[in-house]
mmCIF file of all heavy atoms in Angstrom:
data_model
loop_
_atom_site.group_PDB
_atom_site.id
_atom_site.type_symbol
_atom_site.label_atom_id
_atom_site.label_comp_id
_atom_site.label_asym_id
_atom_site.label_seq_id
_atom_site.Cartn_x
_atom_site.Cartn_y
_atom_site.Cartn_z
ATOM 1 N N GLN A 370 -9.585 46.124 23.081
ATOM 2 C CA GLN A 370 -10.203 47.357 22.567
ATOM 3 C C GLN A 370 -11.557 47.023 21.947
ATOM 4 O O GLN A 370 -11.703 45.985 21.299
ATOM 5 C CB GLN A 370 -9.315 47.978 21.489
ATOM 6 C CG GLN A 370 -7.939 48.378 21.989
ATOM 7 C CD GLN A 370 -7.048 48.794 20.831
ATOM 8 O OE1 GLN A 370 -7.071 49.941 20.396
ATOM 9 N NE2 GLN A 370 -6.272 47.857 20.335
ATOM 10 N N PRO A 371 -12.527 47.897 22.141
ATOM 11 C CA PRO A 371 -13.859 47.597 21.615
ATOM 12 C C PRO A 371 -13.873 47.419 20.096
ATOM 13 O O PRO A 371 -14.663 46.647 19.571
ATOM 14 C CB PRO A 371 -14.708 48.810 22.019
ATOM 15 C CG PRO A 371 -13.798 49.777 22.686
ATOM 16 C CD PRO A 371 -12.456 49.155 22.879
ATOM 17 N N ASP A 372 -12.923 48.102 19.417
ATOM 18 C CA ASP A 372 -12.927 48.009 17.944
ATOM 19 C C ASP A 372 -11.806 47.103 17.429
ATOM 20 O O ASP A 372 -11.310 47.283 16.326
ATOM 21 C CB ASP A 372 -12.790 49.407 17.335
ATOM 22 C CG ASP A 372 -11.517 50.108 17.808
ATOM 23 O OD1 ASP A 372 -10.883 49.617 18.770
ATOM 24 O OD2 ASP A 372 -11.145 51.133 17.209
ATOM 25 N N TYR A 373 -11.412 46.085 18.279
ATOM 26 C CA TYR A 373 -10.262 45.271 17.854
ATOM 27 C C TYR A 373 -10.547 44.486 16.589
ATOM 28 O O TYR A 373 -9.665 44.286 15.756
ATOM 29 C CB TYR A 373 -9.795 44.338 18.995
ATOM 30 C CG TYR A 373 -10.552 43.025 19.114
ATOM 31 C CD1 TYR A 373 -10.064 41.874 18.493
ATOM 32 C CD2 TYR A 373 -11.738 42.927 19.830
ATOM 33 C CE1 TYR A 373 -10.752 40.670 18.584
ATOM 34 C CE2 TYR A 373 -12.425 41.740 19.923
ATOM 35 C CZ TYR A 373 -11.931 40.620 19.301
ATOM 36 O OH TYR A 373 -12.608 39.428 19.376
ATOM 37 N N ARG A 374 -11.801 44.074 16.387
ATOM 38 C CA ARG A 374 -12.108 43.290 15.181
ATOM 39 C C ARG A 374 -11.926 44.146 13.922
ATOM 40 O O ARG A 374 -11.380 43.687 12.930
ATOM 41 C CB ARG A 374 -13.545 42.754 15.238
ATOM 42 C CG ARG A 374 -13.653 41.492 16.100
ATOM 43 C CD ARG A 374 -15.041 40.860 16.003
ATOM 44 N NE ARG A 374 -15.072 39.563 16.647
ATOM 45 C CZ ARG A 374 -15.918 39.216 17.615
ATOM 46 N NH1 ARG A 374 -16.805 40.057 18.056
ATOM 47 N NH2 ARG A 374 -15.878 38.010 18.146
ATOM 48 N N GLU A 375 -12.371 45.415 13.984
ATOM 49 C CA GLU A 375 -12.244 46.318 12.831
ATOM 50 C C GLU A 375 -10.754 46.592 12.550
ATOM 51 O O GLU A 375 -10.318 46.621 11.403
ATOM 52 C CB GLU A 375 -12.954 47.658 13.079
ATOM 53 C CG GLU A 375 -14.481 47.581 13.110
ATOM 54 C CD GLU A 375 -15.034 47.021 14.418
ATOM 55 O OE1 GLU A 375 -14.283 46.960 15.419
ATOM 56 O OE2 GLU A 375 -16.215 46.624 14.435
ATOM 57 N N LYS A 376 -9.992 46.801 13.646
ATOM 58 C CA LYS A 376 -8.561 47.090 13.465
ATOM 59 C C LYS A 376 -7.840 45.885 12.856
ATOM 60 O O LYS A 376 -6.975 46.033 11.996
ATOM 61 C CB LYS A 376 -7.931 47.465 14.808
ATOM 62 C CG LYS A 376 -8.277 48.867 15.231
ATOM 63 C CD LYS A 376 -7.549 49.235 16.490
ATOM 64 C CE LYS A 376 -7.722 50.711 16.808
ATOM 65 N NZ LYS A 376 -7.535 50.986 18.231
ATOM 66 N N LEU A 377 -8.195 44.703 13.322
ATOM 67 C CA LEU A 377 -7.592 43.484 12.782
ATOM 68 C C LEU A 377 -7.931 43.360 11.301
ATOM 69 O O LEU A 377 -7.079 43.077 10.462
ATOM 70 C CB LEU A 377 -8.111 42.256 13.551
ATOM 71 C CG LEU A 377 -7.709 40.902 12.988
ATOM 72 C CD1 LEU A 377 -6.225 40.627 13.219
ATOM 73 C CD2 LEU A 377 -8.520 39.783 13.637
ATOM 74 N N GLU A 378 -9.189 43.611 10.983
ATOM 75 C CA GLU A 378 -9.641 43.505 9.596
ATOM 76 C C GLU A 378 -8.863 44.481 8.704
ATOM 77 O O GLU A 378 -8.483 44.137 7.581
ATOM 78 C CB GLU A 378 -11.160 43.766 9.530
ATOM 79 C CG GLU A 378 -11.795 43.649 8.173
ATOM 80 C CD GLU A 378 -11.419 42.386 7.380
ATOM 81 O OE1 GLU A 378 -11.207 41.330 7.987
ATOM 82 O OE2 GLU A 378 -11.323 42.490 6.148
ATOM 83 N N ALA A 379 -8.587 45.677 9.231
ATOM 84 C CA ALA A 379 -7.830 46.658 8.436
ATOM 85 C C ALA A 379 -6.421 46.131 8.156
ATOM 86 O O ALA A 379 -5.897 46.282 7.047
ATOM 87 C CB ALA A 379 -7.762 47.985 9.181
ATOM 88 N N GLU A 380 -5.811 45.474 9.146
ATOM 89 C CA GLU A 380 -4.460 44.924 8.926
ATOM 90 C C GLU A 380 -4.493 43.767 7.936
ATOM 91 O O GLU A 380 -3.603 43.604 7.106
ATOM 92 C CB GLU A 380 -3.842 44.476 10.254
ATOM 93 C CG GLU A 380 -3.431 45.654 11.114
ATOM 94 C CD GLU A 380 -2.662 45.224 12.350
ATOM 95 O OE1 GLU A 380 -1.493 44.832 12.232
ATOM 96 O OE2 GLU A 380 -3.249 45.277 13.455
ATOM 97 N N LEU A 381 -5.542 42.954 8.028
ATOM 98 C CA LEU A 381 -5.657 41.836 7.085
ATOM 99 C C LEU A 381 -5.903 42.343 5.666
ATOM 100 O O LEU A 381 -5.426 41.766 4.693
ATOM 101 C CB LEU A 381 -6.772 40.876 7.510
ATOM 102 C CG LEU A 381 -6.545 40.140 8.831
ATOM 103 C CD1 LEU A 381 -7.671 39.153 9.106
ATOM 104 C CD2 LEU A 381 -5.212 39.393 8.839
ATOM 105 N N GLU A 382 -6.609 43.461 5.585
ATOM 106 C CA GLU A 382 -6.867 44.061 4.268
ATOM 107 C C GLU A 382 -5.545 44.527 3.638
ATOM 108 O O GLU A 382 -5.338 44.381 2.436
ATOM 109 C CB GLU A 382 -7.862 45.227 4.435
ATOM 110 C CG GLU A 382 -8.316 45.906 3.169
ATOM 111 C CD GLU A 382 -9.156 45.005 2.234
ATOM 112 O OE1 GLU A 382 -9.558 43.911 2.653
ATOM 113 O OE2 GLU A 382 -9.356 45.416 1.077
ATOM 114 N N THR A 383 -4.659 45.052 4.493
ATOM 115 C CA THR A 383 -3.338 45.465 3.991
ATOM 116 C C THR A 383 -2.602 44.261 3.420
ATOM 117 O O THR A 383 -2.001 44.332 2.344
ATOM 118 C CB THR A 383 -2.507 46.082 5.152
ATOM 119 O OG1 THR A 383 -3.280 47.120 5.733
ATOM 120 C CG2 THR A 383 -1.182 46.625 4.673
ATOM 121 N N ILE A 384 -2.664 43.137 4.127
ATOM 122 C CA ILE A 384 -1.995 41.921 3.631
ATOM 123 C C ILE A 384 -2.640 41.477 2.318
ATOM 124 O O ILE A 384 -1.955 41.189 1.339
ATOM 125 C CB ILE A 384 -2.070 40.790 4.691
ATOM 126 C CG1 ILE A 384 -1.204 41.158 5.904
ATOM 127 C CG2 ILE A 384 -1.652 39.441 4.102
ATOM 128 C CD1 ILE A 384 -1.222 40.152 7.022
#
Side-chain angles (χ1 to χ4, degrees):
Q370 299 172 85
D372 58 347
Y373 84 94
R374 279 188 171 124
E375 290 77 16
K376 284 185 171 156
L377 173 72
E378 182 48 33
E380 287 187 73
L381 295 184
E382 184 66 11
T383 306
I384 292 178

